[in-house]
Amino acid sequence: MAEPIEFYFDFSSPYAYLGSEMIDDLAAKYDRKVQWRPIMLGATFQKTGLPLLVTIPLKGEYSLRDFSRSARYYGITFKFPTKFPLSTQTAARAYYWLHGQDCAKAREFAHAVFRAYWVNDRDIADLAVVQEIAAGLGIGKDDLAEAVAKPEIKERLKAETDGAIAKGMFGAPYFVVDGEPFWGADRLPQIEKWLQTGGF
Amino acid sequence: MAEPIEFYFDFSSPYAYLGSEMIDDLAAKYDRKVQWRPIMLGATFQKTGLPLLVTIPLKGEYSLRDFSRSARYYGITFKFPTKFPLSTQTAARAYYWLHGQDCAKAREFAHAVFRAYWVNDRDIADLAVVQEIAAGLGIGKDDLAEAVAKPEIKERLKAETDGAIAKGMFGAPYFVVDGEPFWGADRLPQIEKWLQTGGF
């Protein structure tokens, strides 16, 4: 069986959100699974020395226009949130905790977090909001609060972030297909050709 | 008649080269002309404060891989040049001089300059190389050398660069379609949808 596609992202990345709405269907078309791996994008900024995209003169203004236009192009509901950027570590830790118990539930949770932020303007940095999202999927609020405070879950997120950077990640979404890295939701057509042809 | 598509670029940009091989055909499909406008990309770096892409940790290494892979994806011949980056002001000035006399010849010259650099590894910063490229199109070497030294041609390139930045340009290729800006060869599918639908 072919290796799964690795999908590294931060819940606070608009292009990662767009990618999250498309990658599973694309992979399924070619009988591939996808490993979703939230990481802390801030750690990549420290490596690259790059500023936050939206703060860059000229490029920042363009990016805001491109986020929305790209969403319309793909037919994905999108609304730039009131609070941006924000910390996604609670949501990411909750994801890894859930993933240890139920992969499918973790995937549902990740979609719900992305949509809460990029469609419904929820403050996903807030533990109470993350708990509420989880509760909607039948996950206990107290269990979640306890889990995200555990040292092993904190370590897991740190290790995943380090692992993504070791694979060359510098921005989100970052996909790895059979060892080949692809950055950006706009590289999905190249990923599709890669899956079709086995590499080009 | 619909407005032409504006295509701002620097001959030293690999993604601009990829765009240059595709934009005219795309525009023609929708009965549009394209205005080609070489500018000095260095001036945009001063505005954005961004470093040269290939020098950025992690992102730079990825970009070198992405240039070649994107070229293969599009089916465009591409070879990363020995000398990179380099100054393209002589070639850009020669373009505007030619454009003042013969638009079609200027377009041919621009293609020839892009291909000399991105296919044949020629040093297009060298006046002698630019003269040779022009000579292949029947343009006098001495006429070109004289033209690119003229103050009005130097001013023209400066004005075009300032004009591009005034339209929000921060990287190449930068296309403007009926007032809507698109950055990157990878936005050609969005440009196509824009041309098809009149905006989305």
Side-chain angles (χ1 to χ4, degrees):
Chain A
M1 184 160 166
E3 288 292 305
I5 292 169
E6 297 159 61
F7 167 34
Y8 299 96
F9 62 91
D10 188 304
F11 288 112
S12 70
S13 161
Y15 293 124
Y17 160 64
L18 297 180
S20 78
E21 293 287 332
M22 299 185 283
I23 189 62
D24 285 349
D25 286 351
L26 175 58
K29 227 172 123 179
Y30 299 91
D31 288 320
R32 295 287 190 114
K33 298 281 185 194
V34 184
Q35 277 181 352
W36 285 40
R37 295 181 163 185
I39 59 91
M40 294 289 96
L41 201 58
T44 70
F45 290 129
Q46 284 168 27
K47 288 281 173 189
T48 59
L50 291 172
L52 189 70
L53 175 56
V54 298
T55 66
I56 300 170
L58 301 174
K59 192 171 184 174
E61 290 161 60
Y62 173 83
S63 74
L64 290 168
R65 181 189 282 259
D66 190 66
F67 299 154
S68 296
R69 188 182 62 212
S70 294
R72 295 194 304 274
Y73 175 74
Y74 295 125
I76 295 170
T77 307
F78 177 91
K79 186 170 167 287
F80 197 79
T82 309
K83 188 174 169 186
F84 179 87
L86 46 63
S87 168
T88 56
Q89 68 181 10
T90 300
R93 286 174 185 164
Y95 172 86
Y96 286 112
W97 166 65
L98 284 169
H99 195 266
Q101 304 168 63
D102 183 340
C103 295
K105 186 69 86 180
R107 181 73 47 97
E108 275 184 81
F109 172 75
H111 272 303
V113 171
F114 265 130
R115 291 168 188 164
Y117 190 43
W118 292 108
V119 177
N120 298 316
D121 198 18
R122 302 299 307 277
D123 178 1
I124 58 166
D126 183 351
L127 172 62
V129 170
V130 175
Q131 285 177 305
E132 205 182 299
I133 293 166
L137 300 168
I139 299 152
K141 288 185 177 185
D142 293 345
D143 293 344
L144 186 145
E146 197 181 309
V148 298
K150 284 186 179 164
E152 61 266 33
I153 287 291
K154 293 182 180 181
E155 273 308 308
R156 173 70 185 276
L157 178 56
K158 196 180 169 309
E160 293 285 352
T161 300
D162 291 346
I165 290 170
K167 294 212 171 193
M169 186 184 188
F170 56 87
Y174 191 78
F175 303 98
V176 182
V177 182
D178 301 332
E180 181 75 11
F182 295 87
W183 170 56
D186 53 19
R187 287 297 178 274
L188 290 179
Q190 292 198 22
I191 291 175
E192 175 147 26
K193 189 169 181 176
W194 202 269
L195 293 169
Q196 272 170 353
T197 62
F200 57 85
Chain B
M1 185 161 165
E3 288 292 304
I5 293 169
E6 296 159 62
F7 168 33
Y8 298 96
F9 62 92
D10 188 302
F11 288 112
S12 70
S13 160
Y15 293 124
Y17 161 63
L18 298 180
S20 78
E21 294 286 333
M22 299 185 282
I23 189 61
D24 285 350
D25 286 351
L26 176 58
K29 226 172 125 180
Y30 298 92
D31 289 319
R32 295 287 190 114
K33 298 281 185 194
V34 183
Q35 277 182 351
W36 285 41
R37 296 182 163 184
I39 59 91
M40 294 290 94
L41 201 59
T44 70
F45 290 128
Q46 285 169 27
K47 288 281 173 188
T48 59
L50 291 172
L52 188 70
L53 175 56
V54 298
T55 66
I56 301 169
L58 301 175
K59 192 171 184 174
E61 290 162 60
Y62 172 83
S63 73
L64 290 169
R65 182 188 281 260
D66 189 67
F67 299 155
S68 296
R69 187 181 63 212
S70 294
R72 295 194 304 275
Y73 175 74
Y74 296 125
I76 295 170
T77 308
F78 177 91
K79 185 170 167 288
F80 198 79
T82 309
K83 189 174 169 185
F84 180 86
L86 46 63
S87 167
T88 56
Q89 66 181 12
T90 300
R93 288 174 184 162
Y95 172 86
Y96 286 112
W97 165 64
L98 284 169
H99 195 265
Q101 304 168 62
D102 182 339
C103 295
K105 186 70 85 180
R107 181 73 47 98
E108 273 184 82
F109 171 76
H111 272 303
V113 171
F114 264 130
R115 291 168 188 165
Y117 190 44
W118 292 107
V119 177
N120 297 316
D121 198 16
R122 302 299 307 278
D123 178 1
I124 60 166
D126 183 353
L127 172 62
V129 171
V130 175
Q131 285 177 304
E132 205 183 298
I133 293 166
L137 300 168
I139 299 153
K141 288 185 176 186
D142 292 345
D143 292 344
L144 186 144
E146 198 182 308
V148 298
K150 284 186 178 162
E152 61 265 34
I153 287 292
K154 292 181 180 181
E155 272 308 307
R156 172 69 184 276
L157 178 56
K158 197 181 169 310
E160 292 285 352
T161 301
D162 292 346
I165 290 169
K167 293 211 172 194
M169 185 186 189
F170 56 86
Y174 191 77
F175 303 98
V176 181
V177 182
D178 301 333
E180 182 75 10
F182 296 87
W183 170 56
D186 53 19
R187 287 298 179 273
L188 289 178
Q190 292 198 23
I191 291 176
E192 176 148 26
K193 189 168 180 175
W194 201 270
L195 292 169
Q196 272 169 354
T197 60
F200 57 85

